[in-house]
Amino acid sequence: MSANYKRVLIKLSGEALQGDQGYGISPSTLETFAGEIAELQRMGVAVAIVIGGGNIFRGVAGSTAGMDRTSADYMGMLATVMNGIALQDAIERLGVPTRLQTALEIKEVAEPYIRRRATRHLEKGRVVIFGAGTGNPYFTTDTAAALRAMEVQAEVILKATNVDGVYDCDPRTNPDAKRFERLTYLDVLSKNLRVMDSTAISLCMENDLPIIVFDLNQAGNIKRVIEGEDLGTLICPNPK
């Protein structure tokens, strides 16, 4: 099958990289995800990735424990850079050229984020990983994903999670949780569905950027979504 999308941004949580070990980076999970990204690149899909850092350090948790929120958020940003370096290495070991760009300037390990350069990398068939969120405290990597997707003119945000879509409550604690197949942005905001933060959802709504929420743990799901298979939950202006 051919790809339904030619340029996508994948939002990957840090927790997705920890696999079953509960903390840090699982080598097998990292290799599996890198393999799926390499397959997309071979299909001719331009792939950008925004990665979280919750498997190493979460800024909100740090501030809750008494740390200054700004300091905690900067630590969270550095955690995303660590994940980005690991992911870049895994993808490049499969022969796919990859660039890591960061909103915080760390020239020794990554390029500074420059929109035109990122777009050029994508045009040349390179995978681009965006680290350090937006570079500002109080903004999540969800917001960074929405912002970067619009800046590089991605057609869709693919939010890879540990559940198979958006539910009305947590399916891991409530077996009667209902999964939504289609939602509008306003549905997400009004129902307080915590799939992405409200700033990210509002940015996508203002720019009609669709979001597909799907299960990363099922092998091959990223390719299936790219090929147009009806997986997970679609968030868009008109779900009909």
Side-chain angles (χ1 to χ4, degrees):
M1 294 178 67
S2 60
N4 271 24
Y5 304 102
K6 296 299 182 185
R7 182 174 296 183
V8 302
L9 185 137
I10 300 173
K11 169 57 175 68
L12 179 68
S13 69
E15 288 89 341
L17 294 182
Q18 67 191 20
D20 297 327
Q21 63 188 33
Y23 184 81
I25 300 171
S26 163
S28 60
T29 301
L30 188 67
E31 289 173 11
T32 298
F33 182 68
E36 296 204 24
I37 296 302
E39 188 170 6
L40 296 188
Q41 193 261 0
R42 287 190 287 267
M43 291 170 61
V45 179
V47 181
I49 303 167
V50 167
I51 193 165
N55 57 320
I56 299 173
F57 186 86
R58 185 178 291 278
V60 173
S63 64
T64 302
M67 182 179 290
D68 174 72
R69 174 64 187 270
T70 300
S71 298
D73 279 355
Y74 277 120
M75 289 181 67
M77 291 179 217
L78 293 175
T80 73
V81 177
M82 294 171 68
N83 283 336
I85 293 170
L87 183 57
Q88 179 186 32
D89 177 76
I91 297 172
E92 288 194 327
R93 277 189 274 121
L94 298 176
V96 177
T98 308
R99 299 292 184 271
L100 172 62
Q101 292 196 344
T102 59
L104 298 177
E105 198 165 292
I106 315 174
K107 291 180 180 178
E108 287 78 9
V109 297
E111 297 178 359
Y113 171 69
I114 299 172
R115 182 186 67 84
R116 287 181 178 272
R117 182 178 291 176
T119 302
R120 186 64 173 152
H121 287 323
L122 293 172
E123 290 170 350
K124 286 181 171 289
R126 299 164 184 151
V127 173
V128 180
I129 302 168
F130 298 117
T134 66
N136 301 289
Y138 296 94
F139 289 92
T140 68
T141 50
D142 283 341
T143 299
L147 182 62
R148 297 291 183 250
M150 288 179 286
E151 288 178 316
V152 301
Q153 297 181 322
E155 299 169 71
V156 64
I157 293 177
L158 306 181
K159 183 171 172 62
T161 70
N162 291 321
V163 292
D164 62 343
V166 181
Y167 285 78
D168 58 353
C169 57
D170 191 344
R172 292 169 292 190
T173 59
N174 185 351
D176 297 321
K178 174 190 172 185
R179 183 172 70 86
F180 299 102
E181 293 186 1
R182 301 285 189 277
L183 288 166
T184 66
Y185 307 108
L186 288 175
D187 287 335
V188 175
L189 295 172
S190 64
K191 297 177 187 293
N192 196 28
L193 301 173
R194 300 183 181 278
V195 57
M196 295 178 86
D197 68 79
S198 58
T199 304
I201 294 294
S202 297
L203 278 171
C204 292
M205 179 170 63
E206 290 171 9
N207 293 274
D208 292 338
L209 181 65
I211 306 162
I212 301 175
V213 183
F214 68 100
D215 184 6
L216 176 68
N217 298 316
Q218 183 68 38
N221 266 1
I222 298 177
K223 182 181 178 184
R224 294 187 188 104
V225 171
I226 292 290
E227 291 176 337
E229 194 170 324
D230 193 12
L231 293 178
T233 301
L234 171 66
I235 303 170
C236 60
N238 182 3
K240 303 299 183 182

